[in-house]
Amino acid sequence: MIKILVALLVLAAAMWLGPMVFSQPGYVRIVLAGYTLEMTVVGLVIMLLVAALLLWLAVKIVRWLWALPSRSLGFFRWRRRQKAEQAFQEGLRAYARQQWQDAAQLLQQAMTEKKYHDEKLTLISYAAFYAGQQEQADQSVRQLPADEANSWFVKADLMIQRGQAQQASLFLQDKVEQAPKACGLGQLYLYSLQQAGQWQMLLEQIPAALKYRWFSKVQWAAQRYQIYPKAISSLVQDGSFSEQADYWQELPGKERKSVAAVIGRAWAKANQGHSDQAERLLVNTLALVDLELAWPYLRQIPLGRSVLQLRKQVQHWLHDHPSNGYLYAMLSWLAEQEGEQEQARLAWKKAVQYQPELAASLR
């Protein structure tokens, strides 16, 4: 509304002043250095407007010419950035396809753009390592920031993959103390101890793993089976396992009583010739919900003929859960322990029928 009102006022002023100006245009005389210039007031106004327009255009042209070098450099920088981003995208695709050499080359080209600098170095380290270019992998690792958990992880992980688990565990020992909340670093530290066979030290680190939550609840439920059976049986074989030892007593009671820990103790007792004690431990501890995770470790326990109580327990469960393949797998294993090969074969056939994924457990 206001705009319309203003437009009407301007139009009215033009209609009022226009005839007056054209009927009495007036004139302007300029005398300068012997020259005289005469023109109407309207002509002067038009000339000033044209001069202002030319001055504005001149300023624009000068500014454009002044910025031309930086514009040219900006174009080249933009072009270089575009090439780096394209190389980064293609390098990621090659990495996903496990084309390691191509990935390393493309990601190295992407390093001309500083964005995602550390991430690119990390990927180059792995790609070069998998491509067999050890020197390039080590060089990329050295370029990573020396005081960050990600850099420590990459360096230790490549050590482990080279078969240097002992060196990796020594390297990570100090780093985990510096960054105890770095879950990935903590997980890798436990894994390095496993690969190095440092079972006692591994058990000593479990309170820290629980305190700083290196694993989620679901992850830890599975991780127990990766730790306790092998750790306990190995320590027993070395003659260094004791339930009174500090490293064992410092574990939370829930951990010491866990199914995974009991399987480890049963494994150790069976290997010491106490199969009846091993069976009793399993009968008193195992529950139906534990079988899926426990099965790969249970089947390695040499119970011999001490399977009667455990067989009864499994058959009791099977009565209420006739389509549970893990129960048939247990019956197959127990039959093998007693030397009943045909019965074991039939039970295993049933197990694979109900749980096809069990077929992979024998590979």
Side-chain angles (χ1 to χ4, degrees):
M1 185 65 183
I2 296 177
K3 292 182 179 180
I4 295 176
L5 182 60
V6 171
L8 290 174
L9 290 174
V10 172
L11 181 60
M15 293 176 65
W16 178 60
L17 293 173
M20 184 187 301
V21 171
F22 282 103
S23 63
Q24 299 179 6
Y27 70 93
V28 176
R29 174 182 290 179
I30 300 175
V31 179
L32 182 63
Y35 293 95
T36 302
L37 179 63
E38 292 186 5
M39 65 184 72
T40 63
V41 173
V42 174
L44 177 62
V45 171
I46 294 173
M47 187 181 71
L48 290 174
L49 289 174
V50 171
L53 178 62
L54 292 175
L55 179 62
W56 179 78
L57 289 174
V59 170
K60 293 287 287 184
I61 292 172
V62 170
R63 290 180 63 184
W64 183 82
L65 291 174
W66 183 267
L68 187 60
S70 61
R71 287 176 182 272
S72 300
L73 292 174
F75 170 78
F76 289 117
R77 284 195 296 267
W78 173 83
R79 182 59 180 164
R80 184 172 65 250
R81 185 168 59 251
Q82 288 291 101
K83 287 183 177 180
E85 289 178 356
Q86 184 178 0
F88 186 38
Q89 293 172 359
E90 293 177 357
L92 288 177
R93 296 189 186 103
Y95 193 97
R97 294 192 296 265
Q98 299 185 8
Q99 297 172 340
W100 306 121
Q101 188 169 357
D102 293 342
Q105 292 175 353
L106 288 166
L107 291 168
Q108 189 64 51
Q109 294 174 19
M111 289 297 294
T112 55
E113 172 61 31
K114 297 303 180 184
K115 190 176 182 181
Y116 302 122
H117 178 268
D118 294 348
E119 289 76 8
K120 291 173 184 175
L121 282 174
T122 298
L123 293 173
I124 291 171
S125 300
Y126 281 107
F129 175 79
Y130 295 140
Q133 300 170 351
Q134 306 293 333
E135 184 176 349
Q136 184 182 1
D138 292 338
Q139 183 179 1
S140 299
V141 171
R142 285 193 294 269
Q143 293 179 43
L144 287 168
D147 56 349
E148 290 187 1
N150 176 68
S151 306
W152 303 335
F153 183 97
V154 175
K155 183 175 181 179
D157 189 25
L158 293 182
M159 284 184 186
I160 294 172
Q161 296 192 52
R162 288 190 179 110
Q164 301 170 344
Q166 181 68 29
Q167 294 92 318
S169 64
L170 292 173
F171 171 76
L172 287 172
Q173 184 175 3
D174 176 58
K175 307 304 182 186
V176 168
E177 292 177 0
Q178 295 181 44
K181 295 184 179 180
C183 297
L185 205 64
Q187 293 177 14
L188 188 66
Y189 181 41
L190 294 188
Y191 180 72
S192 69
L193 292 172
Q194 286 178 269
Q195 296 300 305
Q198 300 291 324
W199 301 110
Q200 181 174 328
M201 186 174 293
L202 175 60
L203 293 177
E204 291 172 354
Q205 298 305 314
I206 289 177
L210 297 173
K211 177 181 178 180
Y212 296 109
R213 299 181 181 178
W214 292 347
F215 299 88
S216 67
K217 288 185 178 180
V218 175
Q219 289 175 324
W220 185 245
Q223 191 66 26
R224 285 191 182 108
Y225 292 95
Q226 300 289 330
I227 296 175
Y228 292 120
K230 186 63 176 176
I232 295 173
S233 62
S234 297
L235 289 171
V236 168
Q237 290 174 8
D238 295 341
S240 55
F241 178 77
S242 171
E243 294 187 33
Q244 306 306 317
D246 291 341
Y247 65 81
W248 186 255
Q249 290 298 319
E250 288 176 1
L251 291 175
K254 183 179 179 181
E255 295 301 311
R256 298 197 304 271
K257 296 176 183 177
S258 67
V259 176
V262 169
I263 288 176
R265 291 165 57 200
W267 195 346
K269 288 185 179 299
N271 279 285
Q272 291 174 327
H274 305 299
S275 299
D276 54 337
Q277 296 179 26
E279 183 193 21
R280 193 175 306 115
L281 279 173
L282 295 176
V283 170
N284 293 336
T285 307
L286 271 180
L288 180 60
V289 295
D290 301 318
L291 292 186
E292 183 174 352
L293 290 175
W295 163 247
Y297 308 95
L298 282 171
R299 58 187 293 267
Q300 299 181 44
I301 301 176
L303 287 180
R305 295 188 176 275
S306 298
V307 296
L308 180 60
Q309 297 179 52
L310 194 55
R311 185 196 290 270
K312 289 181 178 179
Q313 180 71 280
V314 172
Q315 289 173 339
H316 174 71
W317 288 334
L318 194 60
H319 182 268
D320 297 324
H321 303 86
S323 60
N324 189 313
Y326 287 97
L327 292 175
Y328 286 103
M330 286 285 291
L331 288 177
S332 175
W333 166 58
L334 296 172
E336 282 183 355
Q337 298 296 299
E338 291 189 305
E340 300 173 358
Q341 299 301 325
E342 181 60 21
Q343 188 175 349
R345 186 185 66 80
L346 293 175
W348 183 253
K349 186 177 179 181
K350 279 275 191 179
V352 174
Q353 177 184 343
Y354 289 115
Q355 309 283 162
E357 66 272 15
L358 280 169
S361 67
L362 295 181
R363 295 175 185 171

